[in-house]
Structures are given as C-alpha cells and as structure tokens.
Amino acid sequence: MTPRASEAPTHARHWVLVFAVTLAILSYVSRVCISQAAPLIMRDLDLTQVQMGQVFGAFGLAYAFFEIPSGWLGDWIGPRKVLIRIVLWWSIFTALTGWMWSLTSLWVTRFLFGAGEAGAFPNLTKVFTTWLPRRERLRAQSVMWTAARWAGAITPKLVVITLLFMSWRWAFLFFGSLGVVWAVFFMAWFRDDPHSHPSVNAAESALLAEAGKNVSGHGDVPWRRLLHSRSVWLLWAQYFCLSFPWYFYITWLPDYLQRYWKISASESGTLAVLPLFLGGLGCAFCGIISRRVAQAVGSVTTSRRLLACSGFAGAAVMLTIAIQMKTPLAAMIAMGFASFFGDMAMPPAWAACMDIGGKYAGTASGSMNMMGNLAGYAAPVVGGYIVHGQPARYTYLLYLMVAAYALGTACWPWIDPVTPIDEK
C-alpha cells in the first residue's frame, strides 16, 4: 500500500525500544543482584572466594554456550517466541537461586539461569533490524545499553534496601517475579513482522521497507563467510576484552571494596554504583555524538572505529589511575570513568553486528556476545584464584583488566563495521 502524501508515520516502532529498555533493565537486575548478596550467601553456605568465583563463572559459561543457538533461533523462528522463552526461563531460575543449599546446587542453578538468559540481547538486536530504519539503530543500541548499565548501577543499592525487609533467599524470589510481568505484556503486543502490526500505518510501513528484509525465516546462516570474516573475529576479540573488566564490576566489586578498602556493605553498595552508572553515561554519550562524528569525518566506518578506540584507550588510562588512588572514593571515581570510556565501545560494536549480520543479525550478535560471556566466565573465576585469602592481590587483577582494555584498542582499526557478510 502506498502511503498518502499527507499521512505521517505512526510511532509504533518506538514501543519496541520501550520493551527493549525494560528487558535490559530486568536482565541486569537479575544477574547483578547476586554480587551484593554474595557475602551473605558465602556465610550461609560456607563458601570460599574460589568457590564463589566458580558460582559467578557458571552464569558466564552457560550464557556463552547458548548465545549462538539462541541468536540463530531468533533468526529462524523470529524473536517473539525466543524472547518469551528466555524471560520466563531466567525468571524461574532467578527465583530458585534463593532456595539452594550447597555449592553444587547453587552452581547448577546459576548455570541454568545463564542458559536461560542467553540470547536476550542478540534477539533484541534482531528486533531492531526488523523494526527500526538503519539511521535509528545505533542510537537505539545506545539507549538500551545505557538503561542496562544504569539498572546494574542501582541494583547493589536496591539489593541492600531489599535485604532490610527480607532474607537473601526471598529477595531472589522477588527479583525473579518481575520478568513474568514483562513477558505477559510483550506477548500481547509484539509481532515479529512490523508490517502486520495493527498500530503500524502505511507511512511507517514504508519507512521500514528495508528492515522488512530481516524478518524471521533465515536459518540458513552462511557459516563459512561468518567464520572467514576478519571483522567478525576481531569483534569477538574486542568484546572479550571489553567484557573481562566489566564482569569484575558486577561480581567482585563489592568484595573488593569491603576487603581491600575495608569499608562497610552499605558504603560499598553506594560506591559500587559508579562504574555502571558512568558506563551508562558512556553509552548515552556515544549515541549522542555518533552521528555528528560520522558527519565530521565523512565515514560511518571511521567514526565507529574512532569512538571505539577512544573508549578502550581511555578506559585503560583511567583504570591505571584508579589503581594508584589512596582512598576508596577516588579509586571508584577513576574506575567509574574507566567504565564510562569502555562503554563508549558498546554501541559501535552492536551496531556493527546489525550491519555485518544483516538478516542474520541474531546469529552475528549472538556469536559476539558468546565471546563476551566467555570473559564472563573467565573474569570471576580467575579473579577468585588471584585474590583468594589475599585482598592486596586485587591490584594484580586490576592490571589484568588494564591489559584487556589495551588489547581491545588494538582490535578496532582492523574492523569493517558496516559491510554485510552476505554482500555479493
């Protein structure tokens, strides 16, 4: 149908961003809450730091293993069914976390929680490729990741407040129930194909004509081209480097503040906000300036490389400064700005997955997120072994994070973030 000249596009596509933002918030609340509850869990279940590191790592391991299958499934049958399954699954295992009784039971539950949550962001990326015109996608990624980081930022304090009214066991049941509400509303409103949605008029449908090529039914992923793409491999590497320090912020950070700096749980809950809050600002800042940078340099490719390299390099410098600080507040401010710069690389990375992946965006972004979550397994487990019984060794772990940021900087000059893998 040809839209009338006087007809303005509706804005149904913006509701997709609302669902993405709320899902990102719930995802990060459900995965970050365990870090603040960790001291209580370790006390009640008699766990060492090495064992708790293994529990943290169970999530990242399962999340990594199931990223590509979940992303591919979204490409094949559409993200609606996959996202509903993801949210209900993770909600159940978030709630069950509160009723575990041993290291083994807790590890298995967190592994299954990670398996359930895997694929959420690749499928949201798939949603963006079908529901948003190209010019709106990077900004949408920026908004979504800002919300995700800020959700992680407020979670430590939210958990501290929640634990004033209930035990850590009931707190996990409370956090698990939130996803069920989201799934009900999403199931009622969302459609895989925006052109079939009753709220989308002809003008908006025409606006999304190109995006319509990316609707489900693309299970025939060109694996050979994917695996032979230098840009894909470097996207994997840079995301591992970006995620390794970030998983410290959502796992060992409260313990670092309480044992290395010897401050209370309440104080650590306040200071732990800074890395994720400022990381969210970094995502937002990148989204705001990305179009202007692209116009200034005359190239989307160059602008994405410039933003990502600046982010990684700035993060390495600020984290090095944080290690030299003499007070916890100064250290956390510097660490917060390390997170700010690091998260400037998030929107370019996910936008690159949308453009490189095209109609296979779910699979492409799932593969990148798989590598990020292998870092999610490695960081807490390696961290647990490094600092076990010796809080002073947190300095070694932080320098390892600096090295990861430096390696991420070296990846981006060689990435082509715009050319699709199936381009002839």
Side-chain angles (χ1 to χ4, degrees):
M1 179 174 15
T2 303
R4 298 188 302 273
S6 61
E7 186 177 43
T10 45
H11 297 284
R13 67 189 187 280
H14 295 152
W15 278 102
V16 165
L17 186 56
V18 173
F19 278 109
V21 165
T22 51
L23 180 63
I25 291 171
L26 294 176
S27 168
Y28 272 56
V29 168
S30 65
R31 72 174 75 173
V32 174
C33 60
I34 193 171
S35 65
Q36 196 63 36
L40 297 176
I41 296 172
M42 292 168 66
R43 181 198 66 193
D44 290 354
L45 301 187
D46 194 25
L47 303 180
T48 67
Q49 286 177 302
V50 170
Q51 291 171 326
M52 197 65 207
Q54 293 169 348
V55 170
F56 287 149
F59 165 84
L61 187 64
Y63 200 104
F65 283 165
F66 289 91
E67 273 292 277
I68 291 179
S70 293
W72 171 82
L73 196 60
D75 286 334
W76 182 32
I77 67 173
R80 182 175 181 269
K81 293 178 182 177
V82 179
L83 283 170
I84 292 169
R85 188 275 301 166
I86 284 171
V87 176
L88 292 178
W89 184 322
W90 101 43
S91 298
I92 290 170
F93 283 98
T94 298
L96 288 176
T97 299
W99 304 102
M100 296 303 101
W101 60 92
S102 66
L103 170 64
T104 301
S105 65
L106 186 61
W107 192 96
V108 170
T109 301
R110 296 308 290 181
F111 182 90
L112 293 173
F113 165 70
E117 192 164 299
F121 289 102
N123 276 279
L124 288 175
T125 297
K126 174 72 174 181
V127 168
F128 288 163
T129 66
T130 56
W131 271 86
L132 297 177
R134 184 183 296 270
R135 67 176 182 270
E136 296 181 9
R137 294 176 189 172
L138 188 144
R139 185 163 294 182
Q141 289 283 0
S142 170
V143 171
M144 180 180 71
W145 285 106
T146 297
R149 295 315 206 214
W150 283 352
I154 65 171
T155 297
K157 203 63 179 177
L158 177 62
V159 173
V160 169
I161 295 172
T162 302
L163 293 175
L164 295 176
F165 300 96
M166 61 186 75
S167 70
W168 65 268
R169 295 183 180 277
W170 283 102
F172 278 100
L173 181 63
F174 166 70
F175 290 125
S177 68
L178 301 177
V180 178
V181 177
W182 183 94
V184 170
F185 282 98
F186 181 77
M187 182 169 57
W189 187 89
F190 184 76
R191 302 291 183 274
D192 286 327
D193 186 354
H195 305 286
S196 68
H197 199 286
S199 299
V200 176
N201 68 359
E204 187 169 30
S205 185
L207 186 66
L208 302 177
E210 180 188 1
K213 301 174 184 177
N214 297 318
V215 178
S216 61
H218 303 294
D220 55 336
V221 176
W223 293 106
R224 182 180 294 274
R225 287 197 292 274
L226 186 75
L227 294 174
H228 282 77
S229 169
R230 180 184 70 184
S231 294
V232 168
W233 278 90
L234 289 173
L235 277 173
W236 293 350
Q238 63 86 36
Y239 209 62
F240 184 97
C241 293
L242 183 63
S243 299
F244 190 94
W246 185 80
Y247 266 92
F248 169 82
Y249 303 144
I250 67 166
T251 55
W252 285 118
L253 183 58
D255 187 74
Y256 162 73
L257 288 168
Q258 293 173 38
R259 295 178 66 246
Y260 182 86
W261 288 108
K262 297 180 174 57
I263 62 176
S264 69
S266 178
E267 290 175 303
S268 74
T270 299
L271 291 179
V273 166
L274 288 172
L276 294 183
F277 177 76
L278 289 173
L281 285 181
C283 288
F285 177 72
C286 181
I288 291 169
I289 69 169
S290 59
R291 190 174 298 177
R292 296 177 184 175
V293 173
Q295 291 171 347
V297 301
S299 167
V300 172
T301 296
T302 302
S303 69
R304 289 181 181 175
R305 288 173 175 170
L306 181 61
L307 289 168
C309 284
S310 300
F312 271 111
V317 170
M318 292 307 303
L319 190 55
T320 302
I321 293 172
I323 298 170
Q324 314 307 318
M325 294 297 100
K326 303 301 182 184
T327 67
L329 177 59
M332 291 309 298
I333 290 173
M335 193 177 291
F337 278 102
S339 181
F340 172 91
F341 283 108
D343 276 8
M344 283 179 59
M346 289 288 287
W350 285 86
C353 283
M354 288 190 283
D355 288 349
I356 291 174
K359 59 187 177 182
Y360 310 108
T363 303
S365 56
S367 67
M368 184 184 76
N369 212 25
M370 175 194 71
M371 294 304 296
N373 284 283
L374 285 177
Y377 169 73
V381 172
V382 169
Y385 280 103
I386 290 176
V387 306
H388 178 56
Q390 299 189 53
R393 288 187 177 178
Y394 267 111
T395 299
Y396 301 157
L397 180 56
L398 294 179
Y399 274 121
L400 189 58
M401 292 158 55
V402 171
Y405 280 137
L407 287 173
T409 309
C411 292
W412 265 96
W414 310 102
I415 294 174
D416 176 354
V418 298
T419 304
I421 57 173
D422 62 345
E423 183 176 277
K424 295 182 181 180

